Every structure is written in structure tokens, then in C-alpha cells.
Amino acid sequence: MEIQELTAFQQSEEIIQPFTISCVGDVVLVCAKEHTLVFRLKYKHIAEDGVISFELSRIKCSNARPTGVLLAQEAKLYHASNMEQRRRIMLDQTIFPNIAKVYICNVQSWISPPGVFEDNPREHLIATVTNMGQLTIYRLEERCQTYWDPYVDISDTWQSHIYDRHPIDSYDELQIMADEMTITCFTWETVIYEHPVRFAFGTKSGKIVFCNLKPNVPKIEHVHQEEEASRVMRYISVQGQYHFLLVGLDSGRLGVYRFGEADPMGAYFVQYLATHFEEDISISAIECEVERKPNGEDQLLILAIKATYVLAIEIGFDGTLRSSMTLSLENFMITGLQMVYPRNYIVSTLPGKVFHLEIGESGSRGDMKITKQEVKTDLNVSSYALYGVAASRTRTGWYFLGYPSRRFDHLTLRSPTCIFFCRYNQRDALKALLGNSTLQLDNFHDAVEMVRFHGNKQPEILLPLEKPLVDLSLNEQTMYQLKLQLVQLSAKISYYKKRNRATTEALHAQHEFICSLIEVITASRIVCWLVEKYKKGMGLHPLQQETVRCLRNFMRTLT
């Protein structure tokens, strides 16, 4: 197993925590200290400059202070507090955020799954949580496709739900209200099956809040009180059944909740199913798979990360623990977890080691086995520590987040954050394109970009795409093969552009010819449809007649 670096992006933002890179569809998200970096893959038929076709935009960290709306006389409360309470005031900047300078940074940024908007299923929302407990959801501005507008202020909605703007007279009440308002984590549902879209967030006081996003307006559906604060969440949506919420609590325990509608009237309920693990190190990341076994049993396979440990759990939909396993990677700290395919994961560690984990199914005795194998990489781990890993939609493009581990290069420190764009030899992009049974590229743009960019560096990998088309027809198979021809020609144009100008011009001519073929075939299909309509005795509208004339002249010109 080998991971090969193809290129790298360097940015000026700082990274302050692990698990800060994620990918949904064609969008890669990096949660930096003061900004959220959004890389959107831009599919192009031809890219001559030999770089990855990404569009970068940024979301500035919100400066809002939710606890700043609490009506309290800070000086009076401070002098009335005892020494222990004063220590807490000095250590917790959310208690008196309006008096002194506060240091605000991002804590978590999550991108929504596709399908949030029914009229535009490919559009996403991005939610960010700051260390002040501010949760804001952003939407891409329609006219300027590089700017994200605030879409919904969840903290404002939560504040109006719990606080009636009464004066606060004691430190204890102020501490309680500050903890109530401070949001610590947030999660979208994994797959959107119905609308309005649901989500959940947790507060420092231990509340777990279930909401939905009605058009532009969030609605709080249910509030559950836990004994301690939640640090990380994972919302598992199961079509036609109950939904599940996995919560990593402050003490290191894992809470499993099942929730949904109890009756047709819509009464909402949350059932606390189970708690696993003794109190120890806090959970930093959670992944989960929904498994439907041939014998009719349904279960969740949960992977939780604690420092250097990977915890795997199989749990039934009713909360029954079926098996569990703990594995230590012995590499200081796990910073990334990404699924390759069911029960197989890539794990990155801070010192730069990368592992492939395979989770074996439990047998009749309930035992589970985790197989670990180190993955060879050519990443510059001598200078960069790895802070996370993410994979593209088809798992053919892999992104590792690096941050300098040695402060000796002043040029590197100007752009410390490095995103390594890699390929994994176990997930070949060319095979994914050739084996695409849908004959559409909509969900394979990442594989196209991998083939194009890799072919730009090593043209020999494009050989399977160079087979000439013998039979041209109007079906989807021909159209798909022509589009693959464009991919390999685009890669070759970029490769030969500086090497051989004459060859580049010939490839350009081929490229234009393929584009013309696609246009002619598309026009022919429209004309055929209109002719068939006419043959069936259905009269053509004058505009349709004019369309036939225009398309006929268009085809004659091209041919």
C-alpha cells in the first residue's frame, strides 16, 4: 500500500487542532485558526496550466460573543465572588467577554451533506463553531461564487430560547447561563432523506439540542440534558427508521442516543441507549457505518479515537453491545480518520505515520479483530506534522493536512498550512472512470481531475484511454467515451505544451474535433426527436421548425 503526493497547496492560515480537514462531494474544508478554507473542485474539459482545478474561498471567524448579551454588572459580581470563583473568571473568557480583550478562534467547521436545498441538491451549507460558543451557518453567495454569506445564526436562536433578558445578580447564575449559551460542538446528519434538514448541537452545560432547518429559520425540536458537556458528535440518519446520535462526552464516555417521531402526531422523543467506556481521555473523532446483515440484523459499527487508541464497537439498533476492540497505534496522537470502503479506514498520526485499518466482523463469540498495516508515503513528514486526512467522493483523491513541525524555515512560516494532494494505489481513478456504469461524469469529477493531473506528469497512465472509437452513434456510451477522450487529450496538451509546440497544436485540433463531434451528436439527437414527433402526426410549432433549420445549418457548418 502506497500513498503518492501529486502536488501541495500552501496557505498563510494557522492550524491549532487535529481533525480539521474534511471533504463532502467536490468540496474540501479546512478549519484554520481565524478562517475556514473552502476548496471547490472546478471541472474543466481542458486545463492547460498543469495545476489542480480548485477554487479557493474563505470564511472569516465570527467575532460574536453569545454570553455578552447576559445582563450582569461585572464589577459588582467580581467583588462579591470568592477566590475560587475569581480564578474561574480569570480562566474562562466567556464569563465576562465585554470587559477585556478576548481571543476568538475556530473550534469546528462542518460542511453539510448534499441535498440541503431541494431546488439545488448540489449546494452545501457550512457551519462553524468558535471558542466563544458562537455557531453560525453560511451559504455561498449566488452572484459572487467566492463569498459565503451568514445564512442562520444558531446561537441567536438558542439564546432567545433559553434567556428572557432578565438581570443576573449572582456569580452562580451567571456561570450557569454562560455554560447554557456556550455551544461546544455541532453535527449535520450523514445523509439527507427528508426535509426540513435536521441537525444537533451540544452546550457546555450538558444540553444536547435537536433542531431542524426550516427555510431560513431554525426550529428547536427537543432538548436533552446530559450530566456533562459534549465535545464531539456524529448524527447517523437511517432511512425509514430511527436516527442515532453518537456523542463524545467531556469525561471520555461515548453516549448513544436514538431519536425520532414516536407517533403520527409528531411527538418527539430521545432515548438514551447506552454509555460505553470508563472515564478517561476525551474522544476526538467518531466515525460510524450502518450495517444491514443478510440474517436481518441491523447494527452500527462505531470507531472512536482517543489519543493513540482506536476503539471499534458493534452495537445493535436497540443499544445492545455485541462486540468491541481497542487498538493502540503507538504514535503519540491520531489526527485523522477516513473510510476507504466499508470496514476499511486510513488513519494519520501527528508524527507523520499513516496506517490502513481493516475491521474484521465479529464471530459467534462476539470477538472482533483490527488489522493494522503501515502505508508508505512520500509526504514531507520531516518538516510537517499531519493534522488530518480526507478523501474525495470516489475515494480516488486524498488530502493530507500538514503544519510545520520544525520552526527553522522562515519562508515556510509565511505559508505554514500545507494541503497535500495525493493518490492512493488501492483506489485507482482510471479504473473508477472505466468502470463507471452510469456513463455520467457528474459524480466522478474528482476521478477525472486525478487522471488529468496525474497524466500531466506521467502520460503513460493514459494509454487505456487512447483506444480509437470505431463505431460512432447517438447513445450515451459514445458520448461518455468521447468525454474520456477529452480528459486524456487535456492531460497531454498540458504535458506537451512546453515540450513540443507542434504536437500541442495537433492535439488541440483533435480536441476541437472531439468537441465538435459531441456538439453534432447532441444536435442530431434533438433533430431526430423532432422528426419522430412530426412522423407521428404531431405538428411542429413554428419555433420548432426554425430550430430544425438552425440545427441543420449548424451541423452542415461543423461537418
Side-chain angles (χ1 to χ4, degrees), residues 471-531:
D471 183 22
L472 288 176
S473 62
L474 304 184
N475 57 27
E476 295 296 336
Q477 179 71 31
T478 298
M479 294 289 285
Y480 184 71
Q481 292 297 326
L482 290 173
K483 291 176 182 178
L484 293 186
Q485 291 287 320
L486 289 184
V487 173
Q488 65 100 2
L489 288 173
S490 179
K492 281 189 171 183
I493 288 171
S494 179
Y495 177 78
Y496 286 109
K497 186 174 182 179
K498 294 182 179 180
R499 293 171 176 83
N500 192 324
R501 194 170 189 83
T503 304
T504 303
E505 292 175 355
L507 293 174
H508 261 297
Q510 294 183 42
H511 191 279
E512 292 300 321
F513 178 69
I514 296 293
C515 288
S516 300
L517 274 179
I518 293 176
E519 292 174 352
V520 168
I521 290 175
T522 302
S524 301
R525 293 166 72 172
I526 297 174
V527 171
C528 289
W529 179 77
L530 292 173
V531 170

Side-chain angles (χ1 to χ4, degrees), residues 200-408:
F201 64 84
T203 67
K204 194 174 180 180
S205 63
K207 282 188 168 56
I208 298 174
V209 185
F210 298 86
C211 310
N212 67 36
L213 264 184
K214 290 191 174 180
N216 298 336
V217 180
K219 178 185 176 183
I220 295 175
E221 293 185 331
H222 184 84
V223 180
H224 176 79
Q225 182 65 55
E226 184 54 73
E227 296 178 357
E228 53 188 313
S230 49
R231 292 302 174 190
V232 62
M233 289 182 169
R234 189 72 170 169
Y235 183 154
I236 309 301
S237 50
V238 185
Q239 188 174 16
Q241 297 193 23
Y242 302 119
H243 295 187
F244 296 90
L245 187 69
L246 314 176
V247 182
L249 301 172
D250 199 22
S251 64
R253 296 181 298 131
L254 174 69
V256 182
Y257 302 83
R258 185 176 67 182
F259 61 98
E261 295 181 356
D263 54 61
M265 298 301 293
Y268 210 73
F269 82 96
V270 174
Q271 181 181 3
Y272 186 67
L273 290 181
T275 302
H276 297 288
F277 313 131
E278 300 295 330
E279 297 182 3
D280 50 16
I281 305 172
S282 295
I283 295 174
S284 53
I286 301 174
E287 287 288 341
C288 183
E289 299 178 33
V290 179
E291 296 184 331
R292 304 290 179 85
K293 295 193 173 182
N295 59 5
E297 293 183 354
D298 297 331
Q299 70 175 20
L300 301 176
L301 172 63
I302 304 170
L303 265 69
I305 302 299
K306 287 189 173 188
T308 64
Y309 297 93
V310 178
L311 310 174
I313 309 168
E314 289 180 339
I315 182 174
F317 279 10
D318 59 353
T320 304
L321 178 63
R322 294 176 178 171
S323 61
S324 63
M325 176 72 181
T326 303
L327 174 69
S328 175
L329 294 186
E330 301 174 353
N331 263 270
F332 177 63
M333 184 179 181
I334 298 174
T335 56
L337 177 67
Q338 179 68 69
M339 184 175 73
V340 185
Y341 43 85
R343 287 186 173 268
N344 285 263
Y345 292 82
I346 288 292
V347 177
S348 65
T349 61
L350 198 65
K353 295 284 188 179
V354 179
F355 297 93
H356 178 275
L357 301 183
E358 182 177 359
I359 316 299
E361 294 191 18
S362 58
S364 57
R365 298 180 180 180
D367 53 342
M368 182 188 294
K369 185 179 180 181
I370 303 179
T371 304
K372 177 183 73 172
Q373 182 177 355
E374 185 173 348
V375 180
K376 296 181 180 179
T377 71
D378 58 356
L379 302 177
N380 184 12
V381 295
S382 61
S383 300
Y384 290 93
L386 298 184
Y387 276 71
V389 60
S392 63
R393 188 201 310 269
T394 61
R395 299 297 188 266
T396 55
W398 289 79
Y399 315 97
F400 287 85
L401 184 63
Y403 196 77
S405 56
R406 288 169 176 79
R407 303 270 180 166
F408 56 82

